Amino acid sequence: MQRFSHFRLAILTALVGIILSLGISAFLYIQDNQRIRSQLSNDVTELQQEVNRQLQTHMFGLTWMARHSTRNQGDHNLWQREAPIVINSYPHFRCLLWLNSQFELESLYSTIAQPSVDQLLADQDYLDSLRGLEPGQRVMLPAGPLALNSADVALIAPLNTSQGTDYYLGIIDIEGLLRSTVARHMGRHVYFRLTSVSSNSTVFELGNNDDASQSWSGFSEFTLFDEQWRMELWPGQDQLQAMRSWVPLLIMLAGLITTALLTFVLYVLGISRVRAQELADTNIDLYVEIEERERVEKKMAYLAEHDWLTDLANRNALMERLEEFFSQSALTQQHVGALFIDLDNFKEVNDALGHSVGDQLLKRVATRLNKIAPKHACLARMGGDEYVLAIACLNDPEELENYARQVLSALDTHFYVDDYEMFISASIGIALSQPEIDTPESLIRNADTALYRAKESGRNSYHLYSEILHHELNQRMELMKRLRNAVEHDKLRVYYQPKVDMQSRRIIGAEALVRWQESDGQIIGPDQFIPIAEDTGLIIPISEFVLKTACKQLAAWHTLGFTELTMAVNLSGKQLQSPGLIEHIMEVVNESGIPPNKLELELTEQVFIENIQSHTNFMHAVRERGIALAIDDFGIGYSSLSYLKHFPVTALKIDRSFVQDLPNDKDDATLTQTIINLAKSLEIDLVAEGVETEAQVDFLLDRDCSVGQGYLFSRPIPAHEFTQLLDDYQGQIPIQIM
């Protein structure tokens, strides 16, 4: 729009010029049309007058002859002599008739074949029309039976004689008369029509009624011999074009050419102004851009060393300050310390209250930490909810631990953000530099490692880095790498531990347990690799492998005849977050061919409580498909008994920690009795884990807990050993099998 404003005058000139050119041309065109119509009206008036004169002249000739005959008392010879003279003088007469008062033919002169006089004398209607005429009246009527063409008319002059009224008729070739008159006055490229108004019939028409130029017709109405007539005249297309004037077109072309020239001149002037304005704008923009670039460079230089949210130092600035601290410590023989601070459960604040509230909380935490930072320190935000407090000039770890306690104490007081009161804690990893060994990067890395251990210890605490911790971390990383390799190369195995009816010692089911066996035969316990699998997400492919393998094995045992066996498979909390989990489970069940009611899914109590709504939906979907559902390690988790009645649980598994000291430990006995009573009141099955002695069996059987699992019956064993156990003892467990 700004660019168009520079050419506004040129645009307005073009619009005004075009409008004026078209307007003047249209005005002249309309005037030309009016001139043509006026000319046509004049032409039709002149033509009407000429036709009227011709008919009056012919009527005069007829009247003269009639009167001359009457004065000579009806001399027939005189009639015959004068008739050719009249027809030669008035060439449009076809014939002349003389009828007496009795309508008898007295005399006839014709230039054509003998006319139908007999038909005329026999036409009483026509004769009656003649009889009604007054002597001396001059009338023009249709030729009737005497007509050769439908347009022929009869001029009638009735005169009184001694015997009555004689009638003198002259038949006019009206078509010939009109053709010659129109051609003589108007030329060949016109169209003509003569209409009787009283009868609304066309007497004569010359040309095409459908011609488009008929809309240009001029007309004239006149009275002739007591008859009302309408005469119309219109030009042909060629004649119409010839009548038009070239002035409107020439005016329009001249106006458009003049407008184009003026517009071009003004456009060139506009371009000149635009170029001048653009040059001025460019200079201004250049100055503005230079100022903006300087401002951006300053901002970038600031952001290169500061966090955008809290205005604390960022990682780059922290590393530069640590380089300075390390240089000072080398001169003073002191240490540099780092506190790696991570806010506990900060994600819940963002999820519950939104990121804007979370950002405000991070800024308030930064302000509070800045207040307790010592003089020779640098507080930096590493990103997210992580901060690092680097401190110089330290003599021993006690000073660093003291600062960590100050941080925990400072964060222990509530924060106010908007209308929210919040409490937040932190986990802190502490690292102290070793002279001539550590670098800024290694110091931060060591503090981060210690932070990981602080989080494992239960949060809201700190942990000091040590070589042992470093070694443990390396071991964990190595184990993680080996576990990934084991998953990819099928080094995991599924072992099965029997579930036994302790009263009959019959094997009623099995629990599928994953085992990791390396190529050298080394067995790595699940307590070592399952937590790593949970953290890395490898638990999902591991759990899918166990489910498929266990279902196929159960189908094989059913084929051998042990159709009452059930299979328990553990699910992890991460699996429940996978979309389409229930469909995947049913797909595995259907592929293996086992009945759904022979599969039991086990979840820990903690997994049951997390995300209650979605997990409850999953559990109901599982039960609707006939699959059993058990709570594993019941009693050591949240113990949310109020939720238990809402869960479609089919079995509780008493944790081995309650069973191992039975029957001697009164507390364990009381807790076990409580769990059994709870299950019985809710009509839920029970399975006791970790059964290792007959005394434990007796205690559980006395309290109606009949199903057990443990080393008393069998350790987890490979599938082929489990099959052999079933075959050798016909599905029963001997007393001593450990």
Side-chain angles (χ1 to χ4, degrees):
M1 292 302 294
Q2 182 66 27
R3 186 175 182 85
F4 284 129
S5 65
H6 296 292
F7 304 106
R8 181 168 50 197
L9 185 58
I11 295 172
L12 289 176
T13 300
L15 292 175
V16 171
I18 292 172
I19 292 172
L20 285 176
S21 299
L22 295 178
I24 294 173
S25 298
F27 175 76
L28 293 176
Y29 184 79
I30 294 172
Q31 291 295 319
D32 191 44
N33 288 345
Q34 292 177 350
R35 179 187 61 78
I36 293 173
R37 293 185 185 279
S38 177
Q39 182 178 341
L40 290 172
S41 296
N42 293 334
D43 289 345
V44 76
T45 300
E46 291 178 3
L47 183 61
Q48 174 257 315
Q49 291 174 353
E50 178 62 20
V51 171
N52 192 11
R53 188 184 66 79
Q54 287 284 346
L55 291 174
Q56 291 285 0
T57 301
H58 281 69
M59 178 61 79
F60 173 78
L62 177 64
T63 304
W64 176 82
M65 184 178 177
R67 287 176 177 173
H68 195 260
S69 177
T70 302
R71 283 196 298 268
N72 290 282
Q73 298 180 354
D75 186 351
H76 292 82
N77 293 326
L78 178 64
W79 170 272
Q80 290 296 328
R81 289 194 306 272
E82 292 180 349
I85 298 173
V86 172
I87 287 181
N88 288 332
S89 300
Y90 306 99
H92 297 293
F93 277 126
R94 289 188 186 276
C95 63
L96 298 174
L97 290 89
W98 174 13
L99 300 179
N100 59 25
S101 59
Q102 303 302 318
F103 294 105
E104 296 172 348
L105 180 63
E106 293 288 340
S107 184
L108 168 67
Y109 182 84
S110 174
T111 60
I112 58 174
Q114 183 67 29
S116 303
V117 178
D118 295 337
Q119 295 181 13
L120 173 66
L121 299 178
D123 190 343
Q124 290 299 321
D125 293 335
Y126 195 83
L127 296 178
D128 290 340
S129 63
L130 295 179
R131 188 176 292 113
L133 299 178
E134 296 293 332
Q137 186 179 3
R138 303 296 180 262
V139 180
M140 184 172 66
L141 293 176
L146 299 177
L148 291 180
N149 295 315
S150 60
D152 289 352
V153 296
L155 298 181
I156 304 171
L159 294 176
N160 279 330
T161 64
S162 57
Q163 286 81 21
T165 302
D166 288 353
Y167 299 91
Y168 298 90
L169 285 74
I171 306 303
I172 296 291
D173 179 9
I174 195 67
E175 183 174 344
L177 184 148
L178 292 173
R179 281 184 186 278
S180 62
T181 304
V182 171
R184 186 169 62 254
H185 284 79
M186 300 288 108
R188 293 179 299 171
H189 302 292
V190 295
Y191 303 103
F192 172 81
R193 181 165 55 204
L194 180 65
T195 306
S196 173
V197 176
S198 59
S199 62
N200 195 26
S201 61
T202 299
V203 176
F204 173 75
E205 185 172 19
L206 177 64
N208 186 359
N209 289 339
D210 297 328
D211 194 282
S213 61
Q214 187 174 352
S215 60
W216 292 85
S217 65
F219 69 92
S220 175
E221 293 188 356
F222 61 96
T223 303
L224 181 63
F225 305 118
D226 299 329
E227 182 77 20
Q228 190 73 19
W229 302 88
R230 178 184 176 90
M231 183 178 291
E232 295 176 272
L233 179 73
W234 63 93
Q237 290 292 343
D238 295 338
Q239 181 70 15
L240 182 62
Q241 293 300 324
M243 295 173 70
R244 287 196 178 280
S245 173
W246 288 91
V247 173
L249 180 60
L250 293 176
I251 292 295
M252 183 177 67
L253 292 176
L256 293 177
I257 292 172
T258 303
T259 300
L261 292 175
L262 288 174
T263 302
F264 176 74
V265 171
L266 294 174
Y267 176 75
V268 173
L269 293 176
I271 289 178
S272 300
R273 288 196 299 272
V274 169
R275 294 291 182 266
Q277 184 64 42
E278 287 178 349
L279 182 59
D281 293 344
T282 300
N283 291 332
I284 295 174
D285 292 342
L286 183 59
Y287 292 132
V288 172
E289 185 176 350
I290 292 173
E291 293 178 357
E292 180 66 17
R293 182 170 296 180
E294 292 177 351
R295 188 188 66 80
V296 170
E297 288 176 353
K298 291 179 181 178
K299 183 66 174 178
M300 291 178 63
Y302 180 82
L303 292 177
E305 296 185 350
H306 293 81
D307 174 57
W308 66 272
L309 178 64
T310 60
D311 288 331
L312 297 177
N314 60 11
R315 184 181 182 87
N316 294 332
L318 175 65
M319 291 303 169
E320 291 179 2
R321 293 296 305 277
L322 281 174
E323 291 286 355
E324 297 175 5
F325 291 169
F326 270 82
S327 299
Q328 294 175 10
S329 66
L331 297 176
T332 60
Q333 298 297 313
Q334 291 178 306
H335 301 279
V336 179
L339 276 66
F340 206 117
I341 306 166
D342 183 85
L343 303 182
D344 296 331
N345 302 318
F346 178 74
K347 182 178 181 298
E348 296 178 1
V349 175
N350 277 338
D351 293 344
L353 304 179
H355 287 276
S356 60
V357 174
D359 289 346
Q360 293 299 318
L361 177 60
L362 291 175
K363 293 170 69 174
R364 283 166 172 72
V365 169
T367 301
R368 193 169 294 183
L369 293 177
N370 219 5
K371 290 180 179 179
I372 63 172
K375 181 179 180 181
H376 300 290
C378 175
L379 179 62
R381 179 173 176 238
M382 302 297 284
D385 58 342
E386 295 178 339
Y387 302 83
V388 169
L389 179 62
I391 306 173
C393 305
L394 294 173
N395 296 312
D396 55 59
E398 287 294 332
E399 295 183 64
L400 201 56
E401 292 184 19
N402 182 50
Y403 286 125
R405 286 190 288 269
Q406 290 182 37
V407 170
L408 294 178
S409 176
L411 297 180
D412 189 47
T413 307
H414 52 214
F415 290 86
Y416 287 101
V417 178
D418 295 338
D419 295 330
Y420 302 106
E421 180 183 9
M422 289 176 284
F423 294 87
I424 196 165
S425 61
S427 299
I428 306 175
I430 305 174
L432 193 68
S433 67
Q434 300 298 320
E436 300 181 357
I437 297 177
D438 285 325
T439 63
E441 290 78 8
S442 64
L443 181 67
I444 297 300
R445 184 173 62 250
N446 294 341
D448 193 13
T449 301
L451 172 65
Y452 180 80
R453 179 53 56 88
K455 285 184 173 294
E456 285 186 339
S457 301
R459 305 177 186 272
N460 195 25
S461 62
Y462 63 86
H463 194 86
L464 180 64
Y465 175 81
S466 65
E467 289 296 331
I468 296 175
L469 182 61
H470 180 73
H471 179 69
E472 290 177 353
L473 180 62
N474 287 340
Q475 282 186 328
R476 177 182 173 86
M477 296 297 294
E478 178 63 24
L479 190 62
M480 185 185 305
K481 182 174 67 175
R482 290 170 57 195
L483 176 60
R484 189 174 299 276
N485 182 70
V487 172
E488 292 175 355
H489 294 86
D490 298 328
K491 293 182 179 180
L492 300 180
R493 301 289 180 266
V494 179
Y495 280 34
Y496 303 92
Q497 187 175 30
K499 286 202 301 186
V500 179
D501 182 342
M502 294 184 293
Q503 192 162 10
S504 63
R505 300 302 172 102
R506 180 171 295 279
I507 300 174
I508 61 174
E511 180 180 1
L513 302 168
V514 65
R515 294 293 183 266
W516 177 8
Q517 184 174 8
E518 287 284 22
S519 302
D520 58 2
Q522 178 188 3
I523 300 293
I524 301 175
D527 57 330
Q528 291 181 272
F529 70 85
I530 290 298
I532 295 177
E534 290 278 1
D535 292 340
T536 59
L538 291 173
I539 192 66
I540 292 179
I542 292 174
S543 299
E544 291 178 355
F545 164 73
V546 173
L547 177 64
K548 291 180 180 179
T549 305
C551 289
K552 289 181 181 178
Q553 186 58 56
L554 181 62
W557 287 332
H558 283 187
T559 303
L560 293 176
F562 302 103
T563 56
E564 296 302 319
L565 282 180
T566 62
M567 180 65 71
V569 179
N570 291 282
L571 290 182
S572 72
K574 289 188 178 296
Q575 275 186 288
L576 296 182
Q577 300 173 8
S578 302
L581 176 60
I582 185 64
E583 289 77 10
H584 175 68
I585 293 173
M586 292 307 301
E587 182 180 348
V588 173
V589 170
N590 294 332
E591 287 180 357
S592 62
I594 64 172
N597 62 353
K598 298 301 181 183
L599 177 64
E600 183 179 64
L601 301 179
E602 294 186 4
L603 295 94
T604 63
E605 190 173 4
Q606 180 177 352
V607 171
F608 267 90
I609 300 303
E610 292 175 350
N611 199 349
I612 292 174
Q613 182 59 47
S614 63
H615 291 180
T616 301
N617 295 338
F618 168 76
M619 287 184 280
H620 282 287
V622 166
R623 292 297 299 127
E624 288 172 1
R625 288 161 175 80
I627 300 174
L629 200 62
I631 300 181
D632 195 12
D633 302 333
F634 185 77
I636 64 170
Y638 289 97
S639 299
S640 302
L641 302 181
S642 61
Y643 293 113
L644 190 60
K645 64 180 181 179
H646 300 297
F647 293 155
V649 176
T650 57
L652 298 179
K653 300 191 73 173
I654 304 173
D655 187 70
R656 66 183 68 252
S657 61
F658 300 138
V659 177
Q660 63 184 1
D661 293 329
L662 294 177
N664 300 322
D665 191 301
K666 293 183 179 179
D667 292 336
D668 287 343
T670 301
L671 289 173
T672 302
Q673 179 67 63
T674 301
I675 294 172
I676 293 173
N677 292 339
L678 174 66
K680 290 171 62 178
S681 64
L682 295 176
E683 297 181 354
I684 297 175
D685 294 336
L686 275 169
V687 179
E689 295 182 306
V691 179
E692 298 181 359
T693 65
E694 289 293 341
Q696 294 169 350
V697 172
D698 293 338
F699 178 88
L700 293 169
L701 287 176
D702 288 343
R703 286 157 182 78
D704 292 334
C705 178
S706 60
V707 180
Q709 246 181 284
Y711 288 176
L712 176 64
F713 309 115
S714 175
R715 294 176 179 273
I717 55 178
H720 68 278
E721 294 184 18
F722 198 103
T723 303
Q724 185 176 357
L725 181 64
L726 292 173
D727 289 337
D728 291 347
Y729 300 100
Q730 297 300 312
Q732 288 190 322
I733 295 293
I735 298 300
Q736 299 295 330
I737 196 172
M738 293 178 57

